[in-house]
Amino acid sequence: MSARVLLTGGDEIGVLGALRGLHQAGYTTWVQASSGRSYAARSRAAAGTIEAPDPRADPDGFVSILAAAAERHRIGAVLPGTEAGLIALAPQKRRFGAAGVSVGVPDADVVERATSKELLAELAAHVGLTMPPTTRLDLAMLESVDCALDLPVV
């Protein structure tokens, strides 16, 4: 039997390439998606689909479902396919240890440093690099802001 891998982020088109690559390399690959309607979920390269909520909306529910599925399907490794999956999995990777599942993420503090836009701006300024003017918005602020924002908007 080939090694079993669970790849997250199946709603994103880029994950389809990773899914196909793992399948071609001989892995039995399951894919996580918020529904079975994504390209990855419908791919012949997927051994099956694990439906779980978006990790940005419900990181605990996301990890709980993945941990249970990993044990149920005898998954050997869980790999994040998106930044959101990476951020959700990193602080909770120990939840997979009892089942002997490896989770392909670094420690949570490393993920936090690597994904912090604020820290990037500080480090850039520290070494003399200029950054474009930046305003951090949360959803509530965005809904109340006049939509006359200058491009680029990321």
Side-chain angles (χ1 to χ4, degrees):
M1 176 168 52
S2 64
R4 294 175 178 220
V5 175
L6 172 53
L7 181 62
T8 74
D11 296 308
E12 303 297 328
I13 192 66
V15 171
L16 179 60
L19 174 68
R20 289 175 174 166
L22 288 163
H23 177 74
Q24 188 172 9
Y27 293 93
T28 299
T29 309
W30 290 72
V31 65
Q32 172 275 322
S34 60
S35 80
R37 300 177 58 101
S38 71
Y39 288 123
R42 293 176 181 224
S43 173
R44 289 183 301 239
T49 303
I50 306 301
E51 290 191 24
D54 185 321
R56 295 168 294 192
D58 185 4
D60 291 332
F62 172 80
V63 172
S64 292
I65 289 169
L66 294 185
E71 187 170 354
R72 183 173 57 254
H73 297 293
R74 300 184 321 274
I75 300 294
V78 175
L79 303 175
T82 63
E83 183 177 313
L86 172 71
I87 291 168
L89 286 166
Q92 300 192 57
K93 66 182 179 178
R94 67 186 158 284
R95 291 180 61 182
F96 296 83
V101 178
S102 297
V103 181
V105 298
D107 291 336
D109 62 324
V110 173
V111 171
E112 187 175 330
R113 282 184 56 84
T115 59
S116 170
K117 295 358 175 220
E118 292 85 4
L119 180 59
L120 176 62
E122 288 175 26
L123 294 173
H126 181 72
V127 296
L129 296 174
T130 58
M131 301 260 312
T134 303
T135 302
R136 181 173 174 86
L137 301 173
D138 61 24
L139 187 56
M141 292 169 62
L142 185 60
E143 289 173 349
S144 68
V145 161
D146 178 9
C147 288
L149 298 172
D150 293 329
L151 296 176
V153 177
V154 179

